[in-house]
Amino acid sequence: MKQVAQNYRTGELAVLEVPPPACRAGGVLVRTLYSLISTGTELMKVTEARLSLLGKARARPDQVRKVLDSVAQQGPVATYKKAISTLDSYTPLGYSLCGVVVEVGAGAEEFAVGDLVAAAGNDFALHAELNWVPINLCVPVPQGVAAQHAAFATVGAIAMQGVRRGEPQLGEVACVIGLGLVGQLTVRLLIASGVRVVGIDTVPERCRLAEAAGAVACAGPDPEGTAHVEQALSAVSGGLGADQVYLAAGGDTNGPVELAARLARDRARVVDIGKTRLDLPWNAYYEKEIDVRFSRSYGPGRYDDRYELEGIDYPAGYVRWTERRNLTCFLDLLGSGDIEVASLVSGTTAISEAPDIYGGLRERRLHGVGYLFEYPPPSADLPGDLPADPDGAIPAERNGARLAQGHTGAMLSDRAVGARSPEATSAPARHPRTEQALGVGFIGAGSYATSMLLPHLVREPRVQLSSVATTRPLSAVNAQRKFGFERVTTDPDDILSDPAIDAVFVVTRHHSHADFVCRALQAGKAVFVEKPLALTHGEVDRIAETVRMTGNDRVMVGFNRRFAPLFSELRGNFGSASEPMTLRYLVNAGRLDASSWYLNEDLEGSRFLGEGGHFIDVLTAWTGALPVDVTAHETSNGQGLHVLLRYADGSLGAISYLTDGSRKFPKETLDITGSGRTARLDNFTRATVWNPTGKTVKRSLKGPDKGQRAELEGFVVAIREGAPMPIDLGSILSTTRATIAVGDSLASGRPVIL
């Protein structure tokens, strides 16, 4: 299918051929009819992508801070490679569309194949022929609303949430600063609410457009224009000024926020809807005691994965207007005629012309506010697709109803597992396939896979990267473009059933690991799975039973640290111990971003459960023994976790997993004491052994090497040559059970015997 994407490093815009998304539980698969360009948000992203690296840094200081923190913990080389890899990827554009449901996932039965719907979300309502959309970001289009106009619903919800934050009352007066797409919709919603409106914009045509919609007066922000607006504002407010001011402007000037204070009445409300500079002039805002408010996107539920992805709604008695209810309300206003958007449609263009449209907007050759992409009629041989009129429009009699009764919605039988990006020729040269080459498939291709695993595998002549499956089509295309995969897909079954694939890499979110491991083993594949292997004892038992039933024990977990060069050298220089040892592992894990999926503990398990296996495996590798019991304690604020492990040889291992330390402090420090010797490993960059003789052995690296390359080499050799796996399966299962037991000990307050 076709999808619009942009390379954030080069600024290149392209219409790519990508595999269609799969229909998943909790949502519907939508064939797009029209998608709307957000001439504010999207154009800002398009413009930023064309900046130099320095320009990008200035535009996104928040990302610069993350990079600097990463340098402190990961080293400059690893950080640079990861940052460039992230930048040099295609990213999607779009977040507002109207289309037809062609497949319904489990739990989304409120929809049916053929429903005309509006969809939202910058991960879901993309400029693409097909999109999977979760139920809380998808709403039916009412009878009589044209598909072109329904495509405005998401941007309409943004404006509506801004208006709700302003709490307008009948007869009040509002000023809208910035009359782009969001500003124009804000004007229309305010007028429909019984509010008199004035407006400010630098573009005269936008001012006239707002006045045609009912605004009292609109003008530019120059002295003459401001005076004109002030005069009109005074006339309609009895000299009081604006009850609310809505900032719908963009840019880095402080002019809008200063002008807002000038036009606002005493104790007015200023609502920031757009992304503009907000250096509040203290005196002006203090003297009027102005109430400054922010409006967050489409409304309550935005950025909450439980609402958007899991479909958990907020009770209307507590949250009357969620983002979904805002979408529905906007469409209802379109259907009743209280709001019109036909005058905002500046042009409708085929999706294939997307680069030219964005170029025209960026270069200001196009001056309108509402540009739509339309999509080619579906091919007649695809089940679940609908015949379209010659002009691509949905016939009026089908509007607001199910459009093709009786279709099964079996949309994905044609999934283009061999679809390739036009840029795929830039991928690294592949080694010729030989009978000894290991056919590898990846399920998942996120940041870790593309920065820590695939760069090593692509250089391995004994490996053939056969296929990659990702939830998001662009992720698979990016992996193909960078690493030369032969095929891309959004269906993991394509990989599990492929006889050319010998080994499957599972690099997905934690809750899916155990199931993919079992399915891959049952399919006769070797498996490399990133930690954790499992989240529960039941999942560990299922994996062990699958190994027993299939006789396939070719399982490897990505416990890479035991393969780190400095760890191996340190262990060798320390020598064998004649008595039990004491090991202390300090992990300065740091805080997570509020948006991190790691925080969804109900689905993904605790943070330590996701990462702690690394550290337990290091202690196990050093002692050469298995843990026999686990005790865990946590600080009262939950920021510090302390784990004590007793090993079969009598050794003790202590792990301090801390999330409230300085980001400037190295992430990992390991100390070992025993038999008159002491060893320290500092963040995999420096290793030191103090011997009984007083001799000190030191070794340093320029940057951390946590063993991924050596780990992968061992896995490839084991599978290709039938050699033993790099880590014994019994050790893997023991480490996994010990990691799970940490949570058990915290819950019970007692040691857990393994």
Side-chain angles (χ1 to χ4, degrees):
M1 71 172 190
K2 290 180 171 59
Q3 179 171 356
V4 179
Q6 182 174 41
N7 184 299
Y8 198 71
R9 182 182 185 186
T10 65
E12 174 207 4
L13 269 161
V15 180
L16 305 180
E17 285 291 337
V18 303
C23 187
R24 312 196 302 273
V28 293
L29 196 65
V30 177
R31 176 170 285 283
T32 309
L33 299 175
Y34 296 94
S35 60
L36 177 68
I37 298 176
S38 170
T39 48
T41 303
E42 289 185 58
L43 200 57
M44 178 178 65
K45 183 177 179 181
V46 167
T47 302
E48 283 183 2
R50 298 179 67 86
L51 297 175
S52 64
L53 288 177
L54 179 59
K56 289 181 173 71
R58 287 172 174 167
R60 296 297 305 274
D62 56 322
Q63 297 301 317
V64 173
R65 284 191 292 272
K66 291 181 181 180
V67 169
L68 293 176
D69 289 339
S70 180
V71 168
Q73 294 199 341
Q74 305 296 332
V77 175
T79 300
Y80 175 80
K81 289 181 178 179
K82 187 174 182 179
I84 292 300
S85 176
T86 300
L87 287 173
D88 191 20
S89 298
Y90 282 112
T91 59
L93 292 169
Y95 62 82
S96 188
L97 65 78
C98 178
V100 179
V101 174
V102 293
E103 189 171 351
V104 177
E109 290 80 9
E110 64 187 87
F111 296 98
V113 171
D115 283 352
L116 184 65
V117 295
N122 59 355
D123 285 325
F124 309 108
L126 308 173
H127 297 311
E129 290 187 80
L130 286 166
N131 286 281
W132 178 83
V133 186
I135 56 174
N136 275 347
L137 291 174
C138 189
V139 296
V141 175
Q143 181 76 29
V145 176
Q148 298 97 316
H149 301 161
F152 281 77
T154 307
V155 185
I158 293 172
M160 180 171 287
Q161 176 62 15
V163 170
R164 294 194 193 285
R165 293 288 293 143
E167 299 183 72
Q169 302 292 319
L170 282 170
E172 286 190 331
V173 180
C175 175
V176 178
I177 299 178
L179 297 173
L181 182 55
V182 170
Q184 294 288 341
L185 291 168
T186 302
V187 167
R188 285 157 171 76
L189 288 167
L190 287 166
I191 292 170
S193 303
V195 176
R196 289 163 292 177
V197 182
V198 298
I200 299 283
D201 198 279
T202 58
V203 181
E205 292 81 3
R206 294 180 177 180
C207 292
R208 305 293 80 79
L209 189 59
E211 288 175 340
V216 175
C218 299
D222 57 277
E224 182 180 350
T226 302
H228 173 67
V229 170
E230 280 186 304
Q231 183 179 8
L233 183 59
S234 178
V236 296
S237 69
L240 294 176
D243 298 288
Q244 311 115 45
V245 181
Y246 297 88
L247 300 176
D252 58 2
T253 175
N254 208 48
V257 74
E258 294 173 5
L259 183 57
R262 176 176 170 179
L263 300 177
R265 67 162 169 82
D266 188 61
R267 292 178 176 82
R269 300 176 293 281
V270 172
V271 181
D272 180 40
I273 305 176
K275 186 177 181 181
T276 190
R277 189 172 175 180
L278 288 176
D279 293 337
L280 300 182
W282 188 86
N283 283 337
Y285 276 73
Y286 170 78
E287 289 170 2
K288 289 187 176 181
E289 202 174 18
I290 293 174
D291 183 359
V292 179
R293 303 179 178 185
F294 288 84
S295 176
R296 188 168 65 179
S297 197
Y298 330 141
R302 190 72 179 111
Y303 310 117
D304 180 352
D305 283 352
R306 296 182 186 230
Y307 178 90
E308 293 191 336
L309 299 181
E310 298 176 32
I312 300 174
D313 197 6
Y314 302 152
Y318 292 90
V319 184
R320 176 62 183 92
W321 294 109
T322 60
E323 56 184 323
R324 190 184 193 197
R325 290 193 272 269
N326 277 339
L327 289 167
T328 299
C329 181
F330 184 80
L331 289 171
D332 286 343
L333 289 172
L334 286 179
S336 65
D338 293 306
I339 294 288
E340 68 83 27
V341 295
S343 61
L344 299 179
V345 177
S346 306
T348 302
T349 311
I351 186 66
S352 57
E353 303 300 318
D356 291 337
I357 297 298
Y358 282 109
L361 289 169
R362 181 178 55 81
E363 296 164 7
R364 300 190 177 180
R365 290 184 281 107
L366 298 175
H367 302 289
V369 295
Y371 288 90
L372 292 160
F373 291 134
E374 61 180 346
Y375 293 77
S379 55
D381 58 348
L382 294 183
D385 283 327
L386 304 166
D389 289 347
D391 62 357
I394 292 293
E397 64 271 16
R398 291 189 279 170
N399 206 7
R402 291 174 183 168
L403 301 184
Q405 301 294 339
H407 284 294
T408 64
M411 179 64 217
L412 300 182
S413 59
D414 69 318
R415 182 172 288 112
V417 298
R420 302 182 72 90
S421 157
E423 311 302 324
T425 54
S426 64
R430 298 298 306 134
H431 304 286
R433 179 185 285 277
T434 67
E435 291 191 5
Q436 290 77 33
L438 189 71
V440 167
F442 263 67
I443 301 177
S447 176
Y448 187 82
T450 56
S451 63
M452 296 297 178
L453 301 180
L454 284 165
H456 298 301
L457 288 173
V458 77
R459 298 186 184 97
E460 173 57 69
R462 297 166 293 184
V463 167
Q464 186 73 29
L465 296 178
S466 300
S467 187
V468 56
T470 60
T471 300
R472 294 182 173 89
L474 273 183
S475 298
V477 170
N478 282 324
Q480 182 187 54
R481 172 177 168 267
K482 292 179 182 179
F483 303 109
F485 281 97
E486 294 177 332
R487 296 176 298 282
V488 295
T489 179
T490 55
D491 188 351
D493 287 336
D494 291 332
I495 289 178
L496 297 175
S497 63
D498 188 344
I501 291 176
D502 306 299
V504 174
F505 279 69
V506 178
V507 201
T508 55
R509 293 191 178 184
H510 299 163
H511 72 276
S512 62
H513 287 187
D515 184 63
F516 277 133
V517 167
C518 290
R519 290 167 61 189
L521 291 174
Q522 290 164 350
K525 314 293 187 186
V527 186
F528 182 109
V529 58
E530 264 310 312
K531 50 77 194 163
L533 173 66
L535 297 180
T536 66
H537 293 297
E539 288 182 344
V540 179
D541 292 340
R542 180 188 170 197
I543 292 169
E545 179 63 12
T546 301
V547 169
R548 188 186 70 80
M549 294 293 293
T550 63
N552 182 2
D553 63 353
R554 312 301 275 169
V555 179
M556 173 76 170
V557 177
F559 294 145
N560 51 280
R561 284 159 172 77
R562 67 159 63 204
F563 300 96
L566 282 187
F567 178 82
S568 299
E569 286 188 33
L570 190 70
R571 186 72 184 88
N573 291 332
F574 190 91
S576 59
S578 58
E579 54 190 29
M581 292 171 284
T582 302
L583 303 93
R584 182 180 69 88
Y585 207 137
L586 174 62
V587 183
N588 180 37
R591 295 181 184 273
L592 292 172
D593 289 338
S595 60
S596 174
W597 57 268
Y598 265 82
L599 296 175
N600 187 355
E601 294 192 4
D602 291 343
L603 181 64
E604 305 295 350
S606 72
R607 187 175 177 187
F608 185 83
L609 182 53
E611 189 179 21
H614 272 317
F615 317 122
I616 295 175
D617 179 71
V618 166
L619 303 185
T620 299
W622 187 282
T623 62
L626 298 180
V628 294
D629 65 52
V630 177
T631 306
H633 295 282
E634 194 172 40
T635 59
S636 59
N637 64 358
Q639 301 299 317
L641 174 64
H642 299 271
V643 179
L644 182 65
L645 298 109
R646 189 165 59 88
Y647 281 84
D649 67 344
S651 295
L652 292 177
I655 300 171
S656 296
Y657 188 82
L658 313 177
T659 61
D660 56 354
S662 169
R663 291 183 180 271
K664 301 299 181 183
F665 189 80
K667 182 181 178 183
E668 298 176 38
T669 307
L670 175 64
D671 294 308
I672 307 99
T673 300
S675 300
R677 284 159 286 184
T678 301
R680 165 166 281 196
L681 180 61
D682 289 306
N683 209 35
F684 298 91
T685 58
R686 185 170 64 253
T688 309
V689 176
W690 292 267
N691 290 313
T693 61
K695 182 180 179 181
T696 302
V697 181
K698 297 183 178 180
R699 175 89 156 84
S700 298
L701 298 177
K702 291 183 178 180
D705 182 344
K706 294 186 179 180
Q708 284 90 353
R709 182 174 66 178
E711 166 194 51
L712 292 170
E713 286 177 352
F715 177 73
V716 170
V717 169
I719 303 305
R720 195 172 69 89
E721 300 180 2
M725 297 296 282
I727 306 177
D728 177 73
L729 180 59
S731 177
I732 289 173
L733 296 177
S734 174
T735 294
T736 303
R737 290 194 185 280
T739 308
I740 297 169
V742 169
D744 298 338
S745 177
L746 284 175
S748 67
R750 297 190 298 271
V752 175
I753 307 300
L754 300 175

